[in-house]
Amino acid sequence: TASREGPVCVLTLDRPEKLNALSTAVEQALGGALASDAVRESRCVVLTGAGRAFSAGADLAEISRDDPAGIAAYYREAGDVYERLAALPQPTIAALHGYCLGGGFELALAADFRVADETAVFGLPEVALGIVPSSGGLHRLVRVVGPARAKEAMLLRERLDAGEAHALGLVTEVAAEGAALSRALELAERLASLPPLAVSVAKQAADLLAESSREAGVAIERLAYGMLAQTEEARAAAEDFGRRKG
């Protein structure tokens, strides 16, 4: 479900009786919400889960698919929602509590920031089920913590608590029990107060720089600056800053 908090859009995984397990229907609904006016017109998106968990992962009833063609169809029809979340132009925050496992962990990793309360538990059980994470989460995990730590999390650690996830850099900050959403909304309001085009370009540049050579990275920075420097948004922000300094 989607709701608005001023300039912030809150998307809630709303299948609490199944700990927000990510069925194809849930992923399709989330994909529809990402394309909605509520998201498109917002300056920041917060993703949370109803009930006792953010998401316990993929729906086990759908964990195995019939054949390669069925798997390919799944990624075309529903499984690309993780990439669609990551590709949003505005910043995104995952507010996490309880189980954040498997596909739920991968969904959280697709957000720009992650705020976890003290009850949050992270894990990637896919290998124990004879498969691997396949919704972009493994790539993002390696990018955040490096291959050695990613292999540790995936192969040796059944669970990570919120403090351990924060120490690895997987979580932006840890909030008190029950406070992840309220803290995420505070951060979202701060992000929403910044010049929106600059925020969007900065987000996209940071994502590109993670995959770029130094030379390409410097070029991206300079092109981004050149694009933004003469915008009305930048001029207005500079004038406002000057007034406040004065």
Side-chain angles (χ1 to χ4, degrees):
T1 58
S3 61
R4 287 293 295 270
E5 299 276 346
V8 179
C9 181
V10 179
L11 300 180
T12 303
L13 302 175
D14 194 11
R15 200 188 181 198
E17 72 283 358
K18 294 289 186 179
L19 298 178
N20 299 317
L22 294 165
S23 64
T24 299
V26 169
E27 291 169 334
Q28 288 174 332
L30 179 57
L34 292 176
S36 68
D37 289 341
V39 167
R40 192 161 41 247
E41 295 168 2
S42 70
R43 289 197 176 189
C44 186
V45 174
V46 172
L47 183 64
T48 189
R52 296 183 293 117
F54 175 71
S55 174
D59 191 328
L60 290 178
E62 300 181 3
I63 200 72
S64 62
R65 309 199 183 265
D66 294 336
D67 53 36
I71 293 171
Y74 159 74
Y75 284 116
R76 286 194 306 271
E77 296 165 7
D80 69 340
V81 69
Y82 304 79
E83 298 307 310
R84 291 172 62 186
L85 175 64
L88 285 178
Q90 65 268 64
T92 55
I93 306 172
L96 310 169
H97 67 287
Y99 288 132
C100 184
L101 306 177
F105 192 6
E106 293 189 83
L107 188 62
L109 286 169
D112 297 308
F113 306 99
R114 285 162 290 283
V115 177
D117 84 2
E118 294 169 339
T119 70
V121 179
F122 301 85
L124 293 168
E126 286 88 346
V127 171
L129 297 172
I131 54 176
V132 294
S134 61
S135 296
L138 182 52
H139 172 77
R140 293 187 178 93
L141 183 66
V142 171
R143 194 166 70 177
V144 173
V145 302
R149 288 293 195 183
K151 285 182 279 189
E152 178 185 347
M154 183 172 53
L155 300 175
L156 294 177
R157 301 293 297 275
E158 185 176 349
R159 297 286 189 271
L160 294 168
D161 64 29
E164 291 170 320
H166 184 256
L168 286 173
L170 292 167
V171 167
T172 308
E173 62 178 77
V174 179
E177 181 176 346
L181 179 57
S182 61
R183 180 55 180 155
L185 288 171
E186 289 177 7
L187 296 177
E189 290 287 347
R190 185 188 307 174
L191 289 165
S193 71
L194 296 170
L197 183 59
V199 169
S200 181
V201 171
K203 166 181 169 166
Q204 293 176 68
D207 287 338
L208 289 170
L209 289 170
E211 308 291 341
S212 301
S213 67
R214 181 185 178 281
E215 292 79 6
V218 170
I220 289 168
E221 290 178 20
R222 292 174 180 173
L223 290 168
Y225 174 81
M227 183 181 78
L228 291 169
Q230 299 304 313
T231 62
E232 182 58 36
E233 180 182 281
R235 285 192 289 271
E239 290 171 3
D240 181 61
F241 180 78
R243 284 194 297 271
R244 285 186 283 111
K245 285 282 286 186

